[in-house]
Coordinates of all heavy atoms in Angstrom, one line a residue:
M1 N 6.1 2.4 -9.8 CA 6.3 2.7 -8.4 C 6.5 1.4 -7.6 O 7.4 1.3 -6.7 CB 5.0 3.4 -8.0 CG 5.1 3.8 -6.6 SD 6.3 5.2 -6.2 CE 5.7 5.5 -4.5
N2 N 5.6 0.4 -7.8 CA 5.6 -0.9 -7.1 C 6.9 -1.5 -7.3 O 7.5 -2.2 -6.4 CB 4.5 -1.7 -7.3 CG 3.2 -1.2 -6.6 OD1 3.2 -0.5 -5.5 ND2 2.0 -1.5 -7.2
S3 N 7.5 -1.5 -8.5 CA 8.8 -2.2 -8.7 C 9.9 -1.5 -7.9 O 10.7 -2.3 -7.4 CB 9.2 -2.1 -10.1 OG 8.2 -2.2 -11.1
L4 N 9.8 -0.3 -7.8 CA 10.9 0.4 -6.9 C 10.7 0.0 -5.5 O 11.8 -0.2 -4.9 CB 10.7 1.9 -7.1 CG 11.2 2.5 -8.6 CD1 10.9 4.0 -8.6 CD2 12.6 2.2 -8.7
L5 N 9.5 0.1 -5.0 CA 9.3 -0.4 -3.6 C 9.8 -1.8 -3.4 O 10.4 -2.1 -2.4 CB 7.8 -0.2 -3.3 CG 7.2 1.3 -3.3 CD1 5.8 1.3 -3.2 CD2 8.0 2.1 -2.3
E6 N 9.5 -2.7 -4.3 CA 9.9 -4.1 -4.1 C 11.5 -4.3 -4.2 O 12.0 -5.0 -3.4 CB 9.3 -5.0 -5.2 CG 7.8 -5.1 -5.1 CD 7.2 -5.8 -6.2 OE1 7.8 -6.3 -7.2 OE2 5.9 -5.9 -6.2
L7 N 12.1 -3.4 -5.0 CA 13.5 -3.4 -5.1 C 14.1 -3.0 -3.7 O 15.0 -3.5 -3.2 CB 14.0 -2.6 -6.3 CG 15.5 -2.4 -6.4 CD1 16.0 -3.8 -6.8 CD2 15.8 -1.5 -7.5
G8 N 13.5 -1.9 -3.2 CA 13.9 -1.5 -1.8 C 13.8 -2.5 -0.8 O 14.7 -2.6 0.1
E9 N 12.7 -3.2 -0.8 CA 12.4 -4.3 0.3 C 13.5 -5.3 0.0 O 13.9 -6.0 1.1 CB 11.0 -4.9 0.1 CG 10.0 -4.0 0.5 CD 8.5 -4.6 0.5 OE1 8.4 -5.7 0.0 OE2 7.6 -3.8 0.9
Q10 N 14.0 -5.8 -1.1 CA 15.0 -6.8 -1.2 C 16.3 -6.3 -0.6 O 16.9 -7.0 0.0 CB 15.1 -7.2 -2.7 CG 14.0 -7.7 -3.3 CD 14.1 -7.9 -4.8 OE1 15.2 -7.6 -5.4 NE2 13.1 -8.4 -5.5
G11 N 16.6 -4.9 -0.8 CA 18.0 -4.5 -0.4 C 18.0 -4.4 1.1 O 19.0 -4.4 1.9
I12 N 16.8 -4.0 1.7 CA 16.7 -3.8 3.3 C 17.2 -5.0 4.0 O 17.5 -4.8 5.1 CB 15.3 -3.2 3.6 CG1 15.4 -2.5 5.0 CG2 14.3 -4.2 3.6 CD1 16.1 -1.2 5.1
T13 N 17.0 -6.2 3.5 CA 17.2 -7.3 4.3 C 18.7 -7.5 4.6 O 19.0 -8.3 5.6 CB 16.8 -8.7 3.4 OG1 17.6 -8.6 2.2 CG2 15.3 -8.7 3.2
Q14 N 19.6 -6.8 4.1 CA 20.9 -6.8 4.4 C 21.4 -5.9 5.5 O 22.6 -5.8 5.8 CB 21.8 -6.6 3.1 CG 21.5 -7.6 2.0 CD 22.4 -7.3 0.7 OE1 23.3 -6.7 0.7 NE2 21.9 -8.0 -0.3
I15 N 20.5 -5.1 6.0 CA 20.8 -4.0 7.0 C 20.6 -4.8 8.4 O 19.6 -5.4 8.6 CB 19.9 -2.9 6.9 CG1 20.2 -2.1 5.6 CG2 20.0 -2.0 8.1 CD1 19.4 -0.9 5.4
N16 N 21.6 -4.7 9.3 CA 21.5 -5.4 10.6 C 21.0 -4.4 11.7 O 21.8 -4.1 12.7 CB 22.9 -6.0 10.8 CG 22.8 -6.8 12.1 OD1 21.8 -7.2 12.4 ND2 24.0 -7.1 12.7
N17 N 19.8 -3.8 11.5 CA 19.2 -2.9 12.5 C 17.8 -3.2 12.4 O 17.1 -2.6 11.6 CB 19.6 -1.5 12.0 CG 19.1 -0.5 13.0 OD1 18.0 -0.7 13.8 ND2 19.8 0.7 13.3
P18 N 17.3 -4.0 13.3 CA 15.9 -4.5 13.2 C 14.9 -3.2 13.3 O 13.9 -3.3 12.6 CB 15.7 -5.3 14.5 CG 17.0 -5.8 14.8 CD 18.0 -4.7 14.3
A19 N 15.2 -2.2 14.2 CA 14.3 -1.1 14.2 C 14.2 -0.2 12.9 O 13.2 0.1 12.5 CB 14.8 -0.2 15.4
L20 N 15.3 -0.1 12.3 CA 15.3 0.5 11.0 C 14.7 -0.2 9.9 O 13.8 0.3 9.1 CB 16.8 0.9 10.6 CG 17.0 1.5 9.3 CD1 16.3 2.9 9.2 CD2 18.4 1.7 8.9
V21 N 14.8 -1.6 9.9 CA 14.3 -2.4 9.0 C 12.7 -2.4 9.2 O 11.9 -2.2 8.1 CB 14.7 -3.8 9.0 CG1 13.8 -4.8 8.2 CG2 16.1 -3.9 8.6
R22 N 12.3 -2.4 10.4 CA 10.8 -2.4 10.7 C 10.3 -1.0 10.3 O 9.2 -1.0 9.6 CB 10.6 -2.6 12.3 CG 9.2 -2.7 12.6 CD 9.0 -2.9 14.1 NE 7.7 -2.9 14.4 CZ 7.1 -3.2 15.5 NH1 8.0 -3.9 16.4 NH2 5.9 -3.2 15.8
Q23 N 10.9 0.0 10.4 CA 10.4 1.4 10.1 C 10.3 1.5 8.5 O 9.3 2.0 8.0 CB 11.4 2.5 10.6 CG 10.9 3.9 10.3 CD 9.6 4.2 11.0 OE1 9.4 3.8 12.2 NE2 8.9 5.0 10.4
Y24 N 11.4 1.0 7.8 CA 11.4 0.9 6.4 C 10.3 0.1 5.9 O 9.5 0.7 4.9 CB 12.7 0.5 5.9 CG 12.8 0.4 4.4 CD1 13.2 1.6 3.7 CD2 12.3 -0.7 3.7 CE1 13.1 1.5 2.3 CE2 12.3 -0.7 2.3 CZ 12.7 0.5 1.6 OH 12.7 0.5 0.3
L25 N 10.0 -1.1 6.4 CA 8.9 -1.9 5.9 C 7.6 -1.2 6.1 O 6.7 -1.3 5.2 CB 9.0 -3.2 6.5 CG 10.3 -4.2 6.0 CD1 10.4 -5.4 6.7 CD2 10.2 -4.4 4.5
A26 N 7.4 -0.7 7.3 CA 6.1 0.0 7.5 C 5.8 1.2 6.6 O 4.8 1.3 6.0 CB 6.1 0.5 9.0
T27 N 6.9 2.0 6.3 CA 6.9 3.1 5.5 C 6.5 2.7 4.0 O 5.7 3.1 3.3 CB 8.1 4.0 5.5 OG1 8.3 4.4 7.0 CG2 7.9 5.2 4.7
N28 N 7.2 1.6 3.7 CA 7.1 1.0 2.3 C 5.6 0.4 2.0 O 5.0 0.7 1.1 CB 8.1 -0.1 2.2 CG 8.5 -0.2 0.7 OD1 8.6 0.8 -0.1 ND2 8.8 -1.4 0.3
A29 N 5.1 -0.2 3.1 CA 3.8 -0.7 3.1 C 2.7 0.5 2.9 O 1.7 0.4 2.1 CB 3.5 -1.5 4.3
M30 N 2.9 1.6 3.6 CA 2.1 2.7 3.5 C 2.2 3.3 2.1 O 1.1 3.7 1.6 CB 2.4 3.7 4.6 CG 1.4 4.8 4.6 SD -0.4 4.3 4.7 CE -0.5 3.5 6.2
A31 N 3.3 3.4 1.5 CA 3.5 3.9 0.2 C 2.7 3.1 -0.8 O 2.1 3.5 -1.8 CB 5.0 4.0 -0.2
R32 N 2.8 1.8 -0.7 CA 2.1 0.8 -1.5 C 0.5 1.0 -1.4 O -0.2 1.0 -2.3 CB 2.4 -0.7 -1.2 CG 3.8 -1.0 -1.7 CD 4.1 -2.6 -1.7 NE 3.2 -3.5 -1.0 CZ 3.5 -3.9 0.3 NH1 4.6 -3.4 0.8 NH2 2.6 -4.7 0.8
A33 N 0.2 1.2 -0.2 CA -1.3 1.5 0.2 C -1.8 2.8 -0.6 O -2.8 2.8 -1.2 CB -1.6 1.5 1.6
Q34 N -1.0 3.8 -0.4 CA -1.4 5.1 -1.1 C -1.4 4.9 -2.6 O -2.3 5.5 -3.2 CB -0.4 6.2 -0.7 CG -0.4 6.6 0.7 CD 0.7 7.5 1.2 OE1 1.7 7.5 0.6 NE2 0.3 8.2 2.2
E35 N -0.5 4.2 -3.1 CA -0.5 3.8 -4.6 C -1.7 3.2 -5.0 O -2.4 3.6 -6.0 CB 0.7 3.1 -5.0 CG 0.9 2.9 -6.4 CD 1.4 4.0 -7.1 OE1 1.8 4.9 -6.6 OE2 1.1 4.0 -8.5
E36 N -2.1 2.2 -4.3 CA -3.4 1.5 -4.6 C -4.7 2.4 -4.4 O -5.6 2.2 -5.2 CB -3.5 0.2 -3.8 CG -2.4 -0.8 -4.1 CD -2.3 -1.2 -5.5 OE1 -3.3 -1.2 -6.3 OE2 -1.1 -1.4 -6.0
Q37 N -4.7 3.3 -3.4 CA -5.8 4.2 -3.4 C -5.8 5.1 -4.6 O -6.9 5.4 -5.0 CB -5.5 5.0 -2.0 CG -6.0 4.4 -0.7 CD -7.5 4.2 -0.6 OE1 -8.3 3.8 -1.5 NE2 -8.0 4.6 0.5
S38 N -4.8 5.6 -5.0 CA -4.8 6.4 -6.2 C -5.2 5.6 -7.4 O -6.0 6.2 -8.2 CB -3.3 6.9 -6.4 OG -2.9 7.8 -5.5
T39 N -4.9 4.4 -7.6 CA -5.3 3.5 -8.6 C -6.9 3.4 -8.5 O -7.5 3.5 -9.6 CB -4.7 2.2 -8.6 OG1 -3.2 2.3 -8.7 CG2 -5.1 1.3 -9.7
K40 N -7.4 3.1 -7.4 CA -8.8 2.9 -7.2 C -9.5 4.3 -7.5 O -10.5 4.2 -8.3 CB -9.1 2.6 -5.8 CG -8.9 1.2 -5.4 CD -9.1 0.9 -3.9 CE -10.6 1.1 -3.6 NZ -10.9 0.5 -2.3
R41 N -8.9 5.4 -7.1 CA -9.6 6.7 -7.5 C -9.6 6.9 -8.9 O -10.6 7.4 -9.5 CB -8.9 7.8 -6.7 CG -9.3 8.1 -5.3 CD -8.8 9.4 -4.8 NE -7.3 9.5 -4.8 CZ -6.6 9.1 -3.8 NH1 -7.0 8.4 -2.7 NH2 -5.3 9.3 -3.9
A42 N -8.5 6.5 -9.6 CA -8.4 6.8 -11.1 C -9.5 5.9 -11.9 O -10.2 6.3 -12.7 CB -7.1 6.4 -11.5
L43 N -9.6 4.7 -11.3 CA -10.5 3.7 -12.0 C -12.0 4.1 -11.7 O -12.9 4.1 -12.7 CB -10.3 2.3 -11.4 CG -9.1 1.6 -11.8 CD1 -8.7 0.4 -11.1 CD2 -9.2 1.3 -13.3
L44 N -12.3 4.6 -10.5 CA -13.6 5.0 -10.2 C -14.0 6.4 -11.0 O -15.1 6.5 -11.5 CB -13.8 5.3 -8.8 CG -13.9 3.9 -8.0 CD1 -13.9 4.2 -6.4 CD2 -15.2 3.1 -8.2
G45 N -13.0 7.3 -11.1 CA -13.2 8.5 -11.8 C -13.4 8.3 -13.2 O -14.4 8.9 -13.9
E46 N -12.8 7.3 -13.8 CA -13.0 6.9 -15.2 C -14.3 6.5 -15.4 O -15.0 6.8 -16.3 CB -11.9 6.0 -15.7 CG -12.0 5.6 -17.2 CD -11.1 4.5 -17.6 OE1 -10.8 3.6 -16.7 OE2 -10.6 4.6 -18.7
A47 N -14.7 5.6 -14.5 CA -16.1 4.9 -14.7 C -17.1 5.9 -14.4 O -18.1 5.9 -15.3 CB -16.3 3.8 -13.6
L48 N -17.0 6.8 -13.6 CA -17.9 7.9 -13.4 C -18.1 8.8 -14.7 O -19.2 9.2 -15.1 CB -17.6 8.8 -12.2 CG -18.0 8.1 -10.8 CD1 -17.4 9.0 -9.8 CD2 -19.4 8.0 -10.7
Q49 N -16.9 9.1 -15.2 CA -16.9 10.0 -16.4 C -17.5 9.2 -17.7 O -18.3 9.8 -18.4 CB -15.5 10.3 -16.8 CG -15.3 11.5 -17.8 CD -13.9 12.0 -17.8 OE1 -13.0 11.2 -17.8 NE2 -13.7 13.2 -17.9
R50 N -17.2 7.9 -17.7 CA -17.8 7.2 -18.9 C -19.2 6.8 -18.7 O -20.0 6.5 -19.6 CB -17.0 6.0 -19.0 CG -15.5 6.1 -19.7 CD -14.8 4.9 -19.6 NE -15.6 3.7 -20.1 CZ -15.2 3.0 -21.2 NH1 -14.2 3.3 -21.9 NH2 -16.0 2.0 -21.5
G51 N -19.6 6.7 -17.4 CA -20.9 6.2 -17.1 C -20.9 4.7 -16.8 O -22.1 4.1 -16.6
S52 N -19.8 4.0 -17.0 CA -19.7 2.6 -16.7 C -18.2 2.3 -16.7 O -17.3 3.0 -17.2 CB -20.5 1.8 -17.7 OG -19.8 1.9 -19.1
F53 N -17.9 1.1 -16.2 CA -16.5 0.6 -16.1 C -16.2 0.2 -17.7 O -17.0 -0.4 -18.3 CB -16.5 -0.6 -15.2 CG -16.2 -0.2 -13.8 CD1 -17.3 -0.5 -12.9 CD2 -15.2 0.3 -13.3 CE1 -17.2 -0.1 -11.5 CE2 -15.1 0.6 -11.9 CZ -16.2 0.5 -11.0
R54 N -14.9 0.3 -17.9 CA -14.4 -0.3 -19.3 C -14.5 -1.9 -19.1 O -14.8 -2.3 -17.8 CB -13.1 0.2 -19.6 CG -12.0 -0.1 -18.5 CD -10.6 0.3 -18.9 NE -9.7 -0.3 -18.1 CZ -8.8 0.3 -17.3 NH1 -8.6 1.6 -17.3 NH2 -8.0 -0.5 -16.5
S55 N -14.2 -2.5 -20.0 CA -14.4 -4.1 -20.0 C -13.6 -4.7 -18.8 O -14.1 -5.6 -18.1 CB -14.0 -4.6 -21.3 OG -12.7 -4.5 -21.5
D56 N -12.6 -4.3 -18.5 CA -11.7 -4.8 -17.4 C -11.7 -4.0 -16.2 O -10.9 -4.2 -15.3 CB -10.3 -5.2 -17.9 CG -9.5 -3.9 -18.2 OD1 -10.1 -2.8 -18.5 OD2 -8.3 -3.9 -18.1
G57 N -12.4 -2.9 -16.1 CA -12.5 -1.9 -15.0 C -12.9 -2.6 -13.7 O -12.2 -2.2 -12.6
E58 N -13.9 -3.3 -13.6 CA -14.3 -3.9 -12.4 C -13.3 -4.8 -11.8 O -13.1 -4.8 -10.6 CB -15.7 -4.5 -12.5 CG -16.8 -3.5 -12.6 CD -18.1 -4.3 -12.7 OE1 -18.7 -4.7 -11.6 OE2 -18.7 -4.3 -13.8
Q59 N -12.7 -5.7 -12.7 CA -11.6 -6.6 -12.3 C -10.5 -5.8 -11.7 O -9.8 -6.1 -10.8 CB -11.2 -7.5 -13.5 CG -10.4 -8.6 -13.0 CD -11.0 -9.5 -12.0 OE1 -12.2 -9.8 -12.1 NE2 -10.1 -10.1 -11.1
A60 N -10.1 -4.7 -12.5 CA -9.0 -3.9 -12.0 C -9.2 -3.2 -10.6 O -8.3 -3.1 -9.9 CB -8.6 -2.8 -13.1
L61 N -10.4 -2.8 -10.4 CA -10.8 -2.2 -9.2 C -10.7 -3.1 -8.0 O -10.2 -2.9 -7.0 CB -12.3 -1.5 -9.3 CG -12.7 -0.9 -8.0 CD1 -11.9 0.3 -7.8 CD2 -14.1 -0.5 -8.1
L62 N -11.2 -4.4 -8.4 CA -11.1 -5.5 -7.2 C -9.6 -5.8 -7.0 O -9.2 -6.0 -5.8 CB -11.8 -6.7 -7.7 CG -13.3 -6.6 -7.8 CD1 -14.0 -7.9 -8.4 CD2 -13.9 -6.4 -6.4
G63 N -8.8 -5.8 -8.1 CA -7.4 -6.1 -7.9 C -6.8 -5.0 -7.0 O -5.9 -5.4 -6.1
A64 N -7.1 -3.8 -7.2 CA -6.5 -2.6 -6.6 C -6.9 -2.9 -5.1 O -6.2 -2.5 -4.2 CB -6.8 -1.4 -7.2
D65 N -8.1 -3.1 -4.8 CA -8.7 -3.2 -3.5 C -7.9 -4.3 -2.7 O -7.6 -4.1 -1.6 CB -10.1 -3.5 -3.5 CG -10.8 -3.2 -2.3 OD1 -10.5 -2.2 -1.7 OD2 -11.7 -4.0 -1.8
A66 N -7.7 -5.5 -3.5 CA -7.0 -6.5 -2.9 C -5.6 -6.2 -2.5 O -5.1 -6.5 -1.3 CB -6.9 -7.8 -3.7
E67 N -4.9 -5.4 -3.3 CA -3.5 -4.9 -3.1 C -3.5 -4.0 -2.0 O -2.6 -3.9 -1.2 CB -2.9 -4.4 -4.4 CG -2.7 -5.4 -5.5 CD -1.6 -6.4 -5.2 OE1 -0.6 -6.0 -4.4 OE2 -1.5 -7.6 -5.5
L68 N -4.5 -3.1 -2.0 CA -4.5 -2.1 -0.8 C -4.7 -2.8 0.4 O -4.0 -2.5 1.4 CB -5.8 -1.3 -1.0 CG -6.2 -0.3 0.1 CD1 -5.1 0.7 0.4 CD2 -7.5 0.4 -0.2
N69 N -5.6 -3.9 0.5 CA -5.8 -4.6 1.8 C -4.5 -5.3 2.2 O -4.1 -5.4 3.4 CB -7.0 -5.5 1.6 CG -8.3 -4.9 1.6 OD1 -8.5 -3.8 2.2 ND2 -9.3 -5.5 1.0
A70 N -3.8 -5.8 1.3 CA -2.5 -6.5 1.5 C -1.4 -5.5 2.0 O -0.7 -5.9 3.0 CB -2.0 -7.2 0.2
A71 N -1.3 -4.4 1.4 CA -0.5 -3.4 1.9 C -0.8 -2.9 3.3 O 0.1 -2.7 4.1 CB -0.4 -2.2 1.0
L72 N -2.0 -2.7 3.6 CA -2.5 -2.3 4.9 C -2.2 -3.5 5.9 O -1.7 -3.1 7.1 CB -4.0 -1.8 5.0 CG -4.3 -0.5 4.3 CD1 -5.8 -0.3 4.2 CD2 -3.6 0.6 4.8
S73 N -2.4 -4.6 5.5 CA -1.9 -5.7 6.5 C -0.6 -5.7 6.7 O -0.1 -5.8 7.9 CB -2.5 -7.0 5.8 OG -2.0 -8.1 6.6
D74 N 0.4 -5.5 5.7 CA 1.8 -5.4 5.9 C 2.1 -4.2 6.8 O 3.0 -4.4 7.6 CB 2.5 -5.3 4.6 CG 2.6 -6.6 3.8 OD1 2.3 -7.7 4.4 OD2 2.8 -6.5 2.6
F75 N 1.5 -3.1 6.7 CA 1.7 -2.0 7.5 C 1.5 -2.3 8.9 O 2.3 -1.9 9.8 CB 0.8 -0.8 7.0 CG 0.9 0.4 8.0 CD1 2.0 1.1 8.1 CD2 -0.1 0.7 8.9 CE1 2.0 2.2 9.0 CE2 -0.1 1.7 9.8 CZ 1.0 2.4 9.8
R76 N 0.4 -2.9 9.2 CA 0.0 -3.3 10.6 C 1.0 -4.2 11.2 O 1.2 -4.2 12.3 CB -1.4 -3.8 10.7 CG -2.4 -2.7 10.4 CD -3.9 -3.3 10.8 NE -4.8 -2.1 10.5 CZ -4.9 -1.0 11.0 NH1 -4.1 -0.8 12.0 NH2 -5.8 -0.1 10.6
K77 N 1.6 -5.2 10.2 CA 2.5 -6.1 10.8 C 3.8 -5.3 11.3 O 4.5 -5.9 12.2 CB 2.8 -7.1 9.7 CG 3.9 -8.2 10.0 CD 4.0 -9.2 9.0 CE 4.5 -8.8 7.7 NZ 4.8 -9.9 6.6
W78 N 4.2 -4.4 10.5 CA 5.6 -3.7 10.6 C 5.5 -2.4 11.5 O 6.5 -2.0 12.2 CB 6.2 -3.5 9.3 CG 6.6 -4.8 8.7 CD1 6.0 -5.2 7.4 CD2 7.5 -5.7 9.1 NE1 6.6 -6.3 7.2 CE2 7.4 -6.7 8.0 CE3 8.3 -5.9 10.1 CZ2 8.3 -7.9 8.2 CZ3 9.2 -7.0 10.2 CH2 9.0 -8.0 9.3
A79 N 4.3 -1.8 11.6 CA 4.2 -0.5 12.2 C 4.3 -0.7 13.7 O 4.0 -1.8 14.3 CB 2.8 0.1 11.8
T80 N 4.8 0.3 14.4 CA 4.7 0.3 15.9 C 3.3 0.4 16.3 O 2.4 1.0 15.5 CB 5.6 1.5 16.5 OG1 5.0 2.7 16.1 CG2 7.1 1.3 16.0
P81 N 2.9 0.2 17.6 CA 1.6 0.4 18.0 C 1.1 1.8 17.8 O 0.0 2.2 17.5 CB 1.6 -0.1 19.4 CG 2.8 -1.1 19.4 CD 3.8 -0.6 18.6
E82 N 2.2 2.8 18.2 CA 1.7 4.2 17.9 C 1.5 4.6 16.5 O 0.6 5.3 16.3 CB 2.9 5.1 18.5 CG 3.2 4.9 20.0 CD 4.0 3.6 20.4 OE1 4.6 3.0 19.4 OE2 4.0 3.3 21.5
Q83 N 2.3 4.0 15.6 CA 2.1 4.3 14.2 C 0.7 3.7 13.7 O -0.1 4.5 13.0 CB 3.1 3.7 13.3 CG 4.5 4.4 13.4 CD 5.6 3.6 12.8 OE1 5.6 2.3 12.8 NE2 6.6 4.4 12.4
A84 N 0.4 2.6 14.2 CA -1.0 1.9 13.7 C -2.1 2.7 14.3 O -3.1 2.9 13.8 CB -1.0 0.5 14.3
Q85 N -1.9 3.2 15.7 CA -2.9 4.0 16.2 C -3.1 5.4 15.5 O -4.3 5.8 15.2 CB -2.7 4.3 17.7 CG -3.7 5.0 18.4 CD -5.1 4.1 18.4 OE1 -5.1 2.9 18.8 NE2 -6.2 4.8 17.9
R86 N -2.1 6.0 15.1 CA -2.1 7.2 14.4 C -2.9 7.0 13.0 O -3.7 7.9 12.7 CB -0.7 7.8 14.1 CG -0.3 8.7 15.2 CD 0.8 9.5 14.8 NE 1.9 8.8 14.2 CZ 3.2 8.5 14.7 NH1 3.3 9.0 15.9 NH2 4.0 7.8 14.2
Y87 N -2.6 5.9 12.3 CA -3.3 5.5 11.1 C -4.9 5.4 11.4 O -5.6 5.8 10.6 CB -2.7 4.3 10.5 CG -3.5 3.9 9.3 CD1 -3.4 4.6 8.0 CD2 -4.5 2.9 9.3 CE1 -4.2 4.3 6.9 CE2 -5.2 2.6 8.2 CZ -5.1 3.3 7.0 OH -5.8 2.9 5.9
D88 N -5.2 4.7 12.5 CA -6.5 4.4 12.8 C -7.2 5.6 13.1 O -8.5 5.6 12.9 CB -6.6 3.4 14.0 CG -6.2 2.0 13.6 OD1 -6.2 1.7 12.4 OD2 -5.8 1.2 14.5
D89 N -6.6 6.6 13.7 CA -7.3 7.9 14.1 C -7.4 8.7 12.8 O -8.1 9.8 13.1 CB -6.3 8.6 15.2 CG -6.3 7.8 16.5 OD1 -7.2 7.1 16.7 OD2 -5.5 8.2 17.3
T90 N -6.9 8.5 11.8 CA -7.1 9.4 10.6 C -8.4 9.0 9.8 O -8.8 7.9 9.8 CB -5.9 9.4 9.7 OG1 -5.6 8.1 9.1 CG2 -4.7 9.9 10.4

């Protein structure tokens, strides 16, 4: 999923419509954030089921958390104030 999102970000740079580019980048960042939330849920669910993290589970969780924070930062950079407020209100 992330590779497809990154590929789309590369192609968007050739569009000469700043509002459209900004909307695309904000949407893409939110998709990446949702993907990382799913990864975190899966890692935590697995750890709960096993009773502990697998050998690399904690590191994977920290990595997913860092990627989530980066995606949310990108979202805030590209989102309109109204979009950011709607996200904050959820």
Side-chain angles (χ1 to χ4, degrees):
M1 174 78 167
N2 283 335
S3 326
L4 291 173
L5 294 172
E6 289 171 8
L7 183 60
E9 283 183 4
Q10 291 172 5
I12 196 73
T13 60
Q14 298 178 20
I15 295 177
N16 190 20
N17 182 331
L20 179 60
V21 170
R22 181 178 177 163
Q23 182 68 31
Y24 179 87
L25 292 172
T27 302
N28 209 34
M30 186 52 63
R32 287 192 344 261
Q34 289 173 336
E35 182 72 18
E36 295 307 326
Q37 279 286 48
S38 294
T39 299
K40 287 178 63 174
R41 276 192 301 276
L43 290 166
L44 289 169
E46 179 187 41
L48 285 171
Q49 193 171 40
R50 290 173 43 118
S52 66
F53 283 105
R54 59 178 197 236
S55 61
D56 64 340
E58 285 183 75
Q59 188 65 32
L61 183 63
L62 290 173
D65 198 45
E67 291 294 327
L68 171 63
N69 289 332
L72 290 175
S73 176
D74 285 347
F75 171 74
R76 291 193 183 288
K77 178 171 70 174
W78 296 112
T80 64
E82 294 82 16
Q83 291 169 327
Q85 186 62 53
R86 273 195 307 254
Y87 176 78
D88 290 340
D89 291 345
T90 61

